[in-house]
Amino acid sequence: KNIVILISGGGSNMAAIVKAAESERWAARLDARVAAVISNKADAGGLAIARGQGIPTSVVSHKDFASREEFDAALAREVDVHAPTLVVLAGFMRILTPWFVTRYAGRLINIHPSLLPAFPGLNTHRRAIEAGCRVAGVTVHEVTVELDHGPILAQAAVPVLPDDTPDALAARVLAQEHRVYPRAVADWLRRADTN
Ligand code: GRF
């Protein structure tokens, strides 16, 4: 089973999944492997991490396409080279078209740095602090055509501390992302085995 991970930046969530696949021996135990890491940004730091792990990488730059639809079609062509069982969005900062989401329906997941349905969209940590929340966290969910609203697969909560800054909260949430996402991917693969 091939996992394709889409990134736009540092790729720390991708790196955590790659590390778990190695340390938990997903190839032997789940017949699963990270087949490719694809980014829409040529300068995404995560590309160097993936290459360092011997994982094929490619770049499909949204700048090269006149429309969202044309970009998504090119991205899907590249994704399909690896015949993915599961497509993992990890810090992927593009809103995908309904066409793309529908094409991978049921095998497309994302990580969002809030306890959905609270705080869909951007700047989640600043918004949680400004709202006076006492807890914040992360959600792994299936991607549907409605942004940040698909069925929830996993969540983890962290405390919001007095005088927390968005960066401090982001770091606390990110540590949980790196624990929760690999486990959610492994659980998804196990379920895919039995279905
Ligand atoms: C993280 O906050 C993640 O929740 C969001 O993108 C940020 C960076 O992720 N989706 P990564 O380090 O590129 O995996």
Side-chain angles (χ1 to χ4, degrees):
K1 302 185 197 61
N2 286 345
I3 302 163
V4 172
I5 305 179
L6 304 188
I7 66 169
S8 297
S12 69
N13 277 289
M14 173 275 298
I17 292 166
V18 168
K19 185 165 164 285
E22 193 75 33
S23 63
E24 297 169 8
R25 299 177 45 252
W26 289 2
R29 294 172 51 239
L30 300 173
D31 182 28
R33 56 197 273 276
V34 177
V37 171
I38 303 171
S39 179
N40 64 307
K41 305 281 290 281
D43 61 350
L47 290 171
I49 295 174
R51 288 178 193 136
Q53 299 290 320
I55 295 169
T57 63
S58 49
V59 174
V60 181
S61 171
H62 54 282
K63 295 197 190 76
D64 295 345
F65 301 90
S67 71
R68 200 173 278 283
E69 287 69 22
E70 285 165 283
F71 167 73
D72 280 21
L75 181 63
R77 267 195 301 281
E78 185 58 33
V79 167
D80 289 347
V81 163
H82 306 283
T85 297
L86 177 62
V87 180
V88 173
L89 305 182
F92 188 67
M93 302 309 277
R94 293 275 306 170
I95 295 179
L96 293 161
T97 57
W99 175 83
F100 188 98
V101 172
T102 306
R103 183 183 183 78
Y104 297 102
R107 55 181 173 134
L108 180 61
I109 64 176
N110 182 46
I111 189 163
H112 180 77
S114 79
L115 293 173
L116 292 174
F119 308 120
L122 299 173
N123 301 313
T124 59
H125 305 305
R126 179 171 55 72
R127 291 156 63 198
I129 291 167
E130 287 174 354
C133 295
R134 299 311 170 92
V135 292
V138 55
T139 302
V140 177
H141 63 97
E142 288 187 31
V143 175
T144 58
V145 291
E146 199 185 349
L147 185 68
D148 297 336
H149 274 73
I152 291 173
L153 299 176
Q155 290 192 309
V158 301
V160 179
L161 301 177
D163 63 47
D164 245 345
T165 63
D167 283 353
L169 181 52
R172 196 172 308 126
V173 171
L174 196 59
Q176 290 306 308
E177 294 177 30
H178 298 161
R179 188 177 60 79
V180 167
Y181 216 0
R183 180 168 314 163
V185 170
D187 289 347
W188 191 98
L189 290 163
R190 281 190 202 93
R191 277 198 305 277
D193 243 355
T194 49
N195 291 352

